[in-house]
Amino acid sequence: MTLAISELGSPIQHGGNLAMARALFPHAPEPWIDLSTGINPHSYPHTPIPGNVFARLPEPSSLERLKTLAAAAYRAPSAAHIVAGPGTQILLPIIAGLVGGNGKAAILSPTYAEHARAATMAGFEVLETDDLDHLATASLAVIVNPNNPTGRIVSRSDTLALAEIMRAKGGLLVVDEAFMDVSEAQSVAGDVGEGGLIVLRSFGKFYGMAGLRLGFAIGHPDITVKIEERLGPWAVSGPALHVASEALADADWQAAMRTRLGADAGRLDAALSAAGIPVFGGTSLFRFIRDRRAQGLFQHLGEHGIITRRFSERPDDLRLGMPEEKDWSRLEAALGDF
Protein backbone atom coordinates (compact mmCIF):
# COMPACT_ATOMS: atom_id res chain seq x y z
CA MET A 1 0.00 0.00 0.00
CA THR A 2 1.31 3.44 -0.91
CA LEU A 3 -0.18 6.83 -0.06
CA ALA A 4 1.02 10.08 -1.58
CA ILE A 5 0.76 13.28 0.45
CA SER A 6 0.97 16.57 -1.39
CA GLU A 7 -0.06 19.16 1.21
CA LEU A 8 -0.17 19.81 4.93
CA GLY A 9 -3.31 18.57 6.64
CA SER A 10 -4.87 19.27 10.01
CA PRO A 11 -2.70 19.43 13.14
CA ILE A 12 -1.22 16.07 14.08
CA GLN A 13 -2.53 14.45 17.23
CA HIS A 14 0.01 13.03 19.69
CA GLY A 15 -0.12 11.29 23.02
CA GLY A 16 0.36 12.96 26.38
CA ASN A 17 -2.58 15.36 26.12
CA LEU A 18 -4.42 15.03 29.43
CA ALA A 19 -6.63 18.05 28.72
CA MET A 20 -8.03 16.18 25.71
CA ALA A 21 -8.47 13.05 27.83
CA ARG A 22 -10.49 15.00 30.41
CA ALA A 23 -12.66 16.46 27.65
CA LEU A 24 -13.34 13.01 26.20
CA PHE A 25 -14.03 11.40 29.58
CA PRO A 26 -15.22 14.16 31.94
CA HIS A 27 -16.48 11.69 34.57
CA ALA A 28 -13.37 9.50 34.67
CA PRO A 29 -11.65 9.07 38.04
CA GLU A 30 -8.45 10.99 38.68
CA PRO A 31 -5.50 11.02 38.80
CA TRP A 32 -5.20 9.93 35.20
CA ILE A 33 -2.95 7.04 34.22
CA ASP A 34 -1.30 8.22 31.01
CA LEU A 35 -0.41 5.29 28.75
CA SER A 36 -0.72 7.38 25.58
CA THR A 37 3.04 7.83 25.13
CA GLY A 38 6.01 5.47 24.88
CA ILE A 39 7.97 7.28 27.59
CA ASN A 40 9.67 5.23 30.30
CA PRO A 41 7.68 5.69 33.55
CA HIS A 42 10.87 5.03 35.57
CA SER A 43 12.84 8.21 34.96
CA TYR A 44 16.57 8.48 35.48
CA PRO A 45 17.49 9.35 39.12
CA HIS A 46 19.88 12.22 38.41
CA THR A 47 21.66 14.22 41.09
CA PRO A 48 20.30 17.66 42.05
CA ILE A 49 20.79 20.29 39.36
CA PRO A 50 23.13 23.04 40.64
CA GLY A 51 21.59 26.49 40.81
CA ASN A 52 24.30 28.08 38.66
CA VAL A 53 23.26 25.81 35.76
CA PHE A 54 20.08 27.89 35.48
CA ALA A 55 21.88 31.21 35.95
CA ARG A 56 24.59 30.84 33.29
CA LEU A 57 24.64 30.11 29.59
CA PRO A 58 25.74 26.55 28.87
CA GLU A 59 29.51 26.15 28.53
CA PRO A 60 30.79 24.86 25.15
CA SER A 61 33.00 22.38 27.01
CA SER A 62 29.91 20.87 28.65
CA LEU A 63 28.32 20.35 25.25
CA GLU A 64 31.47 18.70 23.92
CA ARG A 65 31.53 16.37 26.92
CA LEU A 66 27.89 15.45 26.29
CA LYS A 67 28.64 14.68 22.64
CA THR A 68 31.56 12.46 23.66
CA LEU A 69 29.35 10.56 26.09
CA ALA A 70 26.59 10.25 23.48
CA ALA A 71 29.05 8.89 20.93
CA ALA A 72 30.10 6.19 23.41
CA ALA A 73 26.53 5.36 24.46
CA TYR A 74 25.23 5.12 20.89
CA ARG A 75 28.44 3.59 19.47
CA ALA A 76 28.96 6.43 17.02
CA PRO A 77 32.42 6.86 15.45
CA SER A 78 33.26 10.05 17.40
CA ALA A 79 31.87 13.18 19.02
CA ALA A 80 32.27 14.96 15.67
CA HIS A 81 29.55 12.66 14.33
CA ILE A 82 27.08 13.88 17.00
CA VAL A 83 24.71 16.85 17.04
CA ALA A 84 22.77 17.60 20.21
CA GLY A 85 19.54 19.58 19.96
CA PRO A 86 16.42 20.43 21.97
CA GLY A 87 14.62 17.20 21.03
CA THR A 88 14.70 15.24 17.78
CA GLN A 89 11.43 16.93 16.76
CA ILE A 90 13.34 20.18 16.16
CA LEU A 91 15.87 18.33 14.02
CA LEU A 92 13.40 16.83 11.53
CA PRO A 93 12.78 19.91 9.32
CA ILE A 94 16.45 20.93 9.53
CA ILE A 95 17.56 17.56 8.22
CA ALA A 96 14.90 17.48 5.51
CA GLY A 97 16.08 20.91 4.40
CA LEU A 98 19.63 19.66 3.90
CA VAL A 99 18.54 17.46 1.02
CA GLY A 100 16.62 20.15 -0.79
CA GLY A 101 12.96 19.96 -1.63
CA ASN A 102 11.10 19.65 -4.96
CA GLY A 103 11.96 15.96 -5.05
CA LYS A 104 10.42 12.88 -3.49
CA ALA A 105 10.58 11.72 0.10
CA ALA A 106 9.55 8.16 0.94
CA ILE A 107 8.63 7.08 4.47
CA LEU A 108 8.17 3.50 5.66
CA SER A 109 4.67 3.64 7.13
CA PRO A 110 2.45 3.68 9.10
CA THR A 111 4.72 5.54 11.47
CA TYR A 112 5.37 8.74 13.43
CA ALA A 113 3.48 11.38 11.45
CA GLU A 114 5.90 14.28 12.02
CA HIS A 115 8.39 12.87 9.49
CA ALA A 116 5.87 13.31 6.67
CA ARG A 117 4.96 16.78 7.90
CA ALA A 118 8.61 17.89 8.06
CA ALA A 119 9.34 16.58 4.57
CA THR A 120 6.23 18.24 3.16
CA MET A 121 7.21 21.55 4.74
CA ALA A 122 10.65 21.21 3.14
CA GLY A 123 9.04 21.01 -0.30
CA PHE A 124 9.04 17.27 -0.94
CA GLU A 125 6.33 15.21 -2.53
CA VAL A 126 5.85 12.64 0.22
CA LEU A 127 5.19 8.98 -0.38
CA GLU A 128 4.13 6.85 2.59
CA THR A 129 4.58 3.15 1.87
CA ASP A 130 4.79 -0.18 3.66
CA ASP A 131 7.21 -1.52 1.03
CA LEU A 132 10.87 -1.03 1.99
CA ASP A 133 11.95 -1.24 -1.67
CA HIS A 134 9.97 1.90 -2.51
CA LEU A 135 12.25 3.98 -0.30
CA ALA A 136 15.12 3.58 -2.78
CA THR A 137 13.18 5.62 -5.38
CA ALA A 138 13.32 8.82 -3.31
CA SER A 139 16.00 11.40 -2.60
CA LEU A 140 15.01 11.43 1.10
CA ALA A 141 14.08 8.13 2.74
CA VAL A 142 12.88 7.67 6.32
CA ILE A 143 12.72 4.57 8.52
CA VAL A 144 11.59 4.61 12.15
CA ASN A 145 13.34 1.64 13.74
CA PRO A 146 11.88 0.13 15.91
CA ASN A 147 8.76 1.55 14.39
CA ASN A 148 6.34 3.72 16.31
CA PRO A 149 3.63 2.50 16.82
CA THR A 150 3.90 -1.06 15.47
CA GLY A 151 7.35 -2.01 16.81
CA ARG A 152 8.37 -3.37 13.41
CA ILE A 153 12.13 -3.87 13.08
CA VAL A 154 14.07 -3.40 9.84
CA SER A 155 17.23 -5.46 9.99
CA ARG A 156 20.59 -3.76 10.15
CA SER A 157 21.64 -5.40 6.87
CA ASP A 158 18.57 -4.13 5.01
CA THR A 159 19.01 -0.64 6.47
CA LEU A 160 22.66 -0.44 5.45
CA ALA A 161 21.86 -1.74 1.95
CA LEU A 162 19.38 1.09 1.52
CA ALA A 163 21.88 3.61 2.94
CA GLU A 164 24.38 2.52 0.28
CA ILE A 165 21.83 3.11 -2.48
CA MET A 166 20.97 6.54 -1.12
CA ARG A 167 24.64 7.50 -0.74
CA ALA A 168 25.46 6.43 -4.32
CA LYS A 169 22.87 8.80 -5.78
CA GLY A 170 23.50 11.70 -3.40
CA GLY A 171 20.35 11.09 -1.37
CA LEU A 172 19.88 10.71 2.36
CA LEU A 173 18.47 7.97 4.56
CA VAL A 174 17.16 9.08 7.96
CA VAL A 175 16.79 6.30 10.52
CA ASP A 176 14.83 7.39 13.59
CA GLU A 177 16.01 5.16 16.43
CA ALA A 178 13.99 6.90 19.15
CA PHE A 179 13.10 3.54 20.74
CA MET A 180 16.33 1.67 19.96
CA ASP A 181 17.75 2.10 23.49
CA VAL A 182 15.78 -0.90 24.73
CA SER A 183 17.74 -3.19 22.37
CA GLU A 184 20.71 -1.94 20.38
CA ALA A 185 21.14 -4.99 18.13
CA GLN A 186 19.84 -3.41 14.91
CA SER A 187 21.21 0.09 15.43
CA VAL A 188 23.16 1.64 12.57
CA ALA A 189 24.48 4.60 14.58
CA GLY A 190 28.00 3.23 14.26
CA ASP A 191 27.75 3.12 10.45
CA VAL A 192 27.29 6.79 9.62
CA GLY A 193 30.92 7.41 8.68
CA GLU A 194 30.46 6.77 4.97
CA GLY A 195 27.77 9.43 4.61
CA GLY A 196 24.27 9.27 3.16
CA LEU A 197 22.88 8.22 6.53
CA ILE A 198 21.62 10.12 9.57
CA VAL A 199 20.48 8.38 12.75
CA LEU A 200 18.22 10.11 15.27
CA ARG A 201 18.27 9.20 18.96
CA SER A 202 15.82 10.53 21.52
CA PHE A 203 17.02 11.00 25.10
CA GLY A 204 13.65 11.53 26.77
CA LYS A 205 11.94 8.24 25.94
CA PHE A 206 14.31 5.65 27.42
CA TYR A 207 15.46 7.87 30.29
CA GLY A 208 11.88 8.90 31.09
CA MET A 209 12.52 12.63 30.78
CA ALA A 210 10.67 13.81 27.68
CA GLY A 211 10.14 17.25 29.21
CA LEU A 212 13.89 17.84 29.23
CA ARG A 213 13.74 18.16 25.42
CA LEU A 214 16.98 16.58 24.22
CA GLY A 215 17.78 14.57 21.13
CA PHE A 216 20.72 13.69 18.91
CA ALA A 217 21.44 13.47 15.20
CA ILE A 218 24.31 11.14 14.28
CA GLY A 219 25.91 11.47 10.87
CA HIS A 220 29.05 12.25 8.87
CA PRO A 221 30.81 15.40 10.16
CA ASP A 222 30.10 17.14 6.85
CA ILE A 223 26.41 16.86 7.71
CA THR A 224 26.54 17.40 11.46
CA VAL A 225 28.36 20.71 11.10
CA LYS A 226 25.57 21.99 8.83
CA ILE A 227 22.92 20.95 11.35
CA GLU A 228 24.82 22.68 14.15
CA GLU A 229 25.06 25.86 12.08
CA ARG A 230 21.29 25.89 11.67
CA LEU A 231 20.67 25.22 15.36
CA GLY A 232 22.95 28.04 16.46
CA PRO A 233 24.60 28.38 19.88
CA TRP A 234 23.16 27.11 23.18
CA ALA A 235 20.79 24.64 21.53
CA VAL A 236 20.93 22.42 24.63
CA SER A 237 20.02 23.86 28.02
CA GLY A 238 22.29 23.73 31.06
CA PRO A 239 19.91 21.44 33.00
CA ALA A 240 19.74 19.05 30.04
CA LEU A 241 23.54 18.95 29.84
CA HIS A 242 23.77 18.13 33.56
CA VAL A 243 21.16 15.36 33.56
CA ALA A 244 22.05 13.73 30.24
CA SER A 245 25.78 13.66 30.94
CA GLU A 246 25.09 11.59 34.06
CA ALA A 247 22.55 9.32 32.39
CA LEU A 248 24.52 8.53 29.24
CA ALA A 249 27.54 7.54 31.34
CA ASP A 250 25.52 5.24 33.63
CA ALA A 251 25.82 1.85 31.91
CA ASP A 252 24.66 -0.03 35.01
CA TRP A 253 21.37 1.87 35.15
CA GLN A 254 20.85 1.37 31.42
CA ALA A 255 21.32 -2.41 31.66
CA ALA A 256 19.07 -2.71 34.71
CA MET A 257 16.38 -0.60 33.05
CA ARG A 258 16.33 -2.77 29.93
CA THR A 259 15.68 -5.78 32.15
CA ARG A 260 12.98 -3.97 34.13
CA LEU A 261 11.18 -2.73 31.03
CA GLY A 262 11.25 -6.21 29.53
CA ALA A 263 9.53 -7.52 32.65
CA ASP A 264 6.97 -4.68 32.49
CA ALA A 265 6.18 -5.52 28.86
CA GLY A 266 5.67 -9.16 29.76
CA ARG A 267 3.33 -8.19 32.60
CA LEU A 268 1.26 -5.96 30.32
CA ASP A 269 1.08 -8.70 27.68
CA ALA A 270 -0.24 -11.09 30.33
CA ALA A 271 -2.90 -8.61 31.46
CA LEU A 272 -4.02 -7.97 27.87
CA SER A 273 -4.08 -11.70 27.12
CA ALA A 274 -6.23 -12.33 30.19
CA ALA A 275 -8.67 -9.74 28.79
CA GLY A 276 -8.74 -11.59 25.46
CA ILE A 277 -6.69 -8.95 23.60
CA PRO A 278 -3.71 -10.28 21.60
CA VAL A 279 -0.60 -8.11 21.33
CA PHE A 280 0.30 -7.43 17.70
CA GLY A 281 3.71 -5.79 18.24
CA GLY A 282 5.56 -3.05 20.07
CA THR A 283 8.72 -2.62 22.12
CA SER A 284 9.34 -2.85 25.86
CA LEU A 285 8.35 0.83 26.11
CA PHE A 286 4.92 0.30 24.50
CA ARG A 287 2.65 -2.47 23.27
CA PHE A 288 0.69 -2.32 20.03
CA ILE A 289 -2.75 -3.80 19.41
CA ARG A 290 -4.43 -4.35 16.05
CA ASP A 291 -7.89 -5.67 16.82
CA ARG A 292 -11.51 -4.86 15.93
CA ARG A 293 -12.12 -4.20 19.65
CA ALA A 294 -9.47 -1.47 19.87
CA GLN A 295 -11.95 1.41 20.00
CA GLY A 296 -13.97 -0.38 22.65
CA LEU A 297 -10.85 -0.89 24.75
CA PHE A 298 -9.88 2.78 24.34
CA GLN A 299 -13.35 3.79 25.54
CA HIS A 300 -13.40 1.31 28.42
CA LEU A 301 -10.00 2.32 29.75
CA GLY A 302 -10.78 6.02 29.28
CA GLU A 303 -13.86 5.67 31.45
CA HIS A 304 -11.56 4.21 34.11
CA GLY A 305 -9.21 7.21 33.91
CA ILE A 306 -6.61 5.43 31.77
CA ILE A 307 -5.74 7.14 28.49
CA THR A 308 -4.14 5.23 25.61
CA ARG A 309 -3.10 6.25 22.09
CA ARG A 310 -5.62 5.64 19.35
CA PHE A 311 -5.28 6.47 15.65
CA SER A 312 -8.29 8.04 13.97
CA GLU A 313 -7.20 6.91 10.51
CA ARG A 314 -6.67 3.31 11.70
CA PRO A 315 -9.51 2.47 14.12
CA ASP A 316 -8.30 -1.08 14.79
CA ASP A 317 -4.93 0.17 16.10
CA LEU A 318 -4.16 1.06 19.70
CA ARG A 319 -0.88 1.70 21.55
CA LEU A 320 -0.37 1.35 25.29
CA GLY A 321 2.68 2.60 27.17
CA MET A 322 3.95 1.21 30.46
CA PRO A 323 2.39 2.33 33.76
CA GLU A 324 4.16 3.53 36.86
CA GLU A 325 4.58 0.89 39.56
CA LYS A 326 1.77 2.37 41.67
CA ASP A 327 -0.69 2.15 38.76
CA TRP A 328 -0.41 -1.54 37.86
CA SER A 329 -3.22 -2.75 40.09
CA ARG A 330 -5.63 -0.14 38.74
CA LEU A 331 -4.72 -0.97 35.12
CA GLU A 332 -4.98 -4.72 35.64
CA ALA A 333 -8.36 -4.31 37.35
CA ALA A 334 -9.68 -2.23 34.45
CA LEU A 335 -8.46 -4.77 31.90
CA GLY A 336 -10.04 -7.52 33.96
CA ASP A 337 -13.42 -5.80 33.57
CA PHE A 338 -13.16 -5.49 29.80
Side-chain angles (χ1 to χ4, degrees):
M1 179 188 71
T2 301
L3 173 65
I5 299 178
S6 58
E7 59 184 25
L8 291 173
S10 58
I12 295 169
Q13 300 296 322
H14 296 291
N17 189 337
L18 291 184
M20 182 179 294
R22 291 186 179 99
L24 286 172
F25 303 102
H27 303 296
E30 297 216 20
W32 277 90
I33 298 175
D34 187 1
L35 306 185
S36 66
T37 74
I39 298 166
N40 186 353
H42 319 297
S43 59
Y44 182 75
H46 61 87
T47 63
I49 299 174
N52 64 354
V53 169
F54 294 94
R56 293 180 52 81
L57 288 170
E59 292 283 350
S61 60
S62 297
L63 177 60
E64 288 305 310
R65 179 171 181 269
L66 176 68
K67 290 167 60 175
T68 298
L69 291 167
Y74 300 135
R75 304 172 190 174
S78 75
H81 294 77
I82 299 283
V83 177
T88 52
Q89 178 65 46
I90 298 296
L91 299 173
L92 301 186
I94 293 175
I95 292 169
L98 293 177
V99 183
N102 302 316
K104 185 167 71 175
I107 301 170
L108 194 61
S109 298
T111 195
Y112 182 58
E114 292 289 349
H115 285 287
R117 187 177 76 91
T120 301
M121 290 176 64
F124 287 94
E125 174 191 355
V126 178
L127 196 69
E128 293 190 80
T129 177
D130 59 6
D131 188 338
L132 183 64
D133 291 339
H134 288 169
L135 270 62
T137 66
S139 54
L140 173 66
V142 179
I143 297 173
V144 179
N145 204 34
N147 187 46
N148 173 23
T150 65
R152 175 202 61 225
I153 292 281
V154 178
S155 71
R156 185 168 175 273
S157 59
D158 286 347
T159 304
L160 292 178
L162 177 59
E164 185 175 353
I165 293 171
M166 301 302 292
R167 181 168 56 249
K169 66 178 183 178
L172 183 65
L173 171 61
V174 177
V175 182
D176 185 344
E177 294 185 351
F179 292 97
M180 189 64 79
D181 296 73
V182 296
S183 177
E184 296 279 355
Q186 302 303 324
S187 175
V188 293
D191 301 285
V192 299
E194 297 298 319
L197 171 66
I198 289 181
V199 173
L200 299 175
R201 297 298 290 253
S202 170
F203 177 82
K205 293 179 175 64
F206 179 67
Y207 293 96
M209 306 191 76
L212 199 69
R213 307 310 304 140
L214 177 64
F216 301 93
I218 307 171
H220 190 280
D222 289 348
I223 296 177
T224 59
V225 69
K226 293 178 181 178
I227 300 173
E228 287 185 329
E229 286 173 353
R230 286 159 175 77
L231 282 173
W234 312 301
V236 179
S237 71
L241 290 169
H242 173 87
V243 172
S245 293
E246 288 186 355
L248 290 171
D250 196 342
D252 291 341
W253 184 91
Q254 295 160 20
M257 185 51 59
R258 291 184 183 106
T259 299
R260 181 175 187 177
L261 288 171
D264 285 353
R267 183 174 178 178
L268 183 51
D269 286 357
L272 288 165
S273 177
I277 301 292
V279 175
F280 188 87
T283 73
S284 58
L285 282 170
F286 61 85
R287 309 310 282 158
F288 177 70
I289 293 166
R290 178 163 285 166
D291 191 278
R292 60 181 176 79
R293 295 162 293 176
Q295 290 297 317
L297 181 58
F298 174 85
Q299 184 75 23
H300 174 79
L301 292 176
E303 290 169 354
H304 284 74
I306 303 169
I307 192 66
T308 56
R309 176 71 168 96
R310 65 176 175 177
F311 304 88
S312 58
E313 68 278 15
R314 302 188 304 277
D316 290 345
D317 291 0
L318 194 69
R319 190 190 68 194
L320 293 82
M322 300 298 148
E324 296 182 42
E325 191 63 38
K326 63 182 177 61
D327 293 329
W328 272 108
S329 59
R330 191 171 147 201
L331 172 62
E332 288 167 332
L335 286 172
D337 290 340
F338 181 63

